[in-house]
């Protein structure tokens, strides 16, 4: 598939403890049309990539730039862990990814997204190879599909990420699912995304004081590279 030329901005969104200590940073992407300030819908762009299979090329494009940033950090004495989304379609490229990240693996968390259909056997193989190098694994948006929970059962990830519902009527199901994950995989660290208000922060801080938190409540993120051209 020939992808339209676009510009990519990469930024960090920090994942913090309840006492505001930085645990790691997630690398997020945003897109604009080249030679224009017109922003593209990031979620729709990623979904288009997944549907076409172009997501594999984009995952490698993203990893190369994250690797460069991590190496620059190390050279400047900064030893920071970053998480990067990895599509289910890219899991089959485990050997290529391992070769690319082997010298920075200790500074990476791969967040497996369940928006594409994930082959569980491919996910297990991917995790075995990347964990051997020192990379950690996260399952993204566990509460958005049954596939997310299936991956938790299969992989026992270092992190399980949940998106905080905005509808309070979904809270009971939300907290029950978290309890299920904790009971099955007690060594998995829970991360709550989408924290935006004082009320949401104190809710999670009171009910899940051990959980990590992420969202605009803490900051709007930090851009580390912009204007990357992607074809």
């Amino acid at each position: 598939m020939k992808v339209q030329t676009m510009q990519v901005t990469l930024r960090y969104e920090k994942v913090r403890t309840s006492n505001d200590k930085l645990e790691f940073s997630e690398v997020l992407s945003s897109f604009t049309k080249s030679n224009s300030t017109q922003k593209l819908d990031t979620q729709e762009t990623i979904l288009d990539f997944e549907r076409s299979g172009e997501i594999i090329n984009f995952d490698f494009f993203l990893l190369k730039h994250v690797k460069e940033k991590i190496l620059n950090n190390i050279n400047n004495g900064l030893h920071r862990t970053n998480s990067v989304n990895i599509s289910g379609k890219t899991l089959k490229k485990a050997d290529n990814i391992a070769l690319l990240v082997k010298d920075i693996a200790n500074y990476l968390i791969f967040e497996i997204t369940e928006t594409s259909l994930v082959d569980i056997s491919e996910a297990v193989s991917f995790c075995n190879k990347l964990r051997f190098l020192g990379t950690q694994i996260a399952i993204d948006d566990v509460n958005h599909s049954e596939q997310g929970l299936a991956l938790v059962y299969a992989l026992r990830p270092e992190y399980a990420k949940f998106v905080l519902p905005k509808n309070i009527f979904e809270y009971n199901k939300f907290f029950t699912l978290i309890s299920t994950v904790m009971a099955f995989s007690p060594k998995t660290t829970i991360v709550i995304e989408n924290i935006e208000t004082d009320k949401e922060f104190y809710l999670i801080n009171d009910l899940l004081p051990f959980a990590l938190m992420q969202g605009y409540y803490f900051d709007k993120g930090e851009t580390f590279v912009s204007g990357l051209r992607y074809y």
Side-chain angles (χ1 to χ4, degrees):
M1 172 191 173
K2 183 175 176 58
V3 177
Q4 63 174 313
T5 303
M6 60 183 68
Q7 292 186 335
V8 184
T9 295
L10 303 180
R11 65 183 177 89
Y12 295 131
E13 186 167 290
K14 296 171 182 173
V15 179
R16 301 176 181 272
T17 64
S18 58
N19 62 359
D20 208 29
K21 177 184 175 183
L22 176 64
E23 187 81 6
F24 63 88
S25 296
E26 180 180 359
V27 177
L28 299 176
S29 310
S30 59
F31 304 88
T32 56
K33 288 186 176 180
S34 288
N35 303 317
S36 169
T37 59
Q38 180 182 352
K39 290 186 176 180
L40 301 174
D41 183 280
T42 295
Q43 184 175 6
E44 187 59 36
T45 301
I46 294 296
L47 287 174
D48 285 344
F49 284 173
E50 289 178 341
R51 284 190 286 263
S52 67
E54 182 61 25
I55 191 65
I56 298 174
N57 291 333
F58 181 74
D59 282 351
F60 277 94
F61 169 86
L62 176 60
L63 270 176
K64 289 175 183 177
H65 288 285
V66 171
K67 176 180 178 177
E68 181 178 342
K69 181 61 175 177
I70 290 175
L71 289 173
N72 286 337
N73 284 343
I74 294 171
N75 289 336
N76 290 314
L78 301 174
H79 301 278
R80 295 174 177 170
T81 299
N82 296 283
S83 69
V84 181
N85 284 338
I86 193 86
S87 167
K89 291 186 177 180
T90 311
L91 297 177
K92 65 186 69 177
K93 302 292 184 177
D95 290 334
N96 306 78
I97 291 175
L99 184 63
L100 176 63
V101 306
K102 59 184 175 58
D103 50 348
I104 58 162
N106 288 330
Y107 301 97
L108 273 181
I109 301 167
F110 278 116
E111 294 191 20
I112 298 177
T113 60
E114 72 285 353
T115 50
S116 300
L117 288 177
V118 176
D119 184 290
I120 296 295
S121 62
E122 286 182 353
V124 170
S125 177
F126 176 89
C127 290
N128 287 342
K129 290 176 181 178
L130 273 298
R131 275 178 168 148
F132 179 77
L133 297 176
T135 300
Q136 298 181 84
I137 301 297
I139 307 302
D140 201 16
D141 301 346
V142 174
N143 55 313
H144 278 184
S145 74
E146 292 182 3
Q147 186 74 347
L149 184 58
L151 287 169
V152 170
Y153 286 155
L155 304 177
R156 297 181 184 265
E158 282 76 19
Y159 299 92
K161 304 187 78 174
F162 297 80
V163 177
L164 182 68
K166 295 305 178 184
N167 185 342
I168 62 172
F169 296 107
E170 298 178 25
Y171 279 3
N172 185 55
K173 181 179 179 181
F174 175 76
F175 287 109
T176 298
L177 182 59
I178 291 174
S179 297
T180 300
V181 170
M182 291 169 54
F184 178 79
S185 186
K187 292 184 179 181
T188 295
T189 298
I190 304 299
V191 182
I192 309 300
E193 299 181 281
N194 211 23
I195 305 294
E196 297 179 348
T197 66
D198 285 332
K199 183 177 180 180
E200 292 170 346
F201 171 79
Y202 287 113
L203 172 73
I204 299 303
N205 197 39
D206 289 343
L207 297 181
L208 300 170
F210 48 82
L212 303 178
M213 288 183 274
Q214 177 179 359
Y216 281 179
Y217 175 80
F218 302 101
D219 56 55
K220 301 293 184 180
E222 172 190 349
T223 298
F224 67 90
V225 63
S226 60
L228 295 172
R229 292 178 68 84
Y230 182 74
Y231 299 89

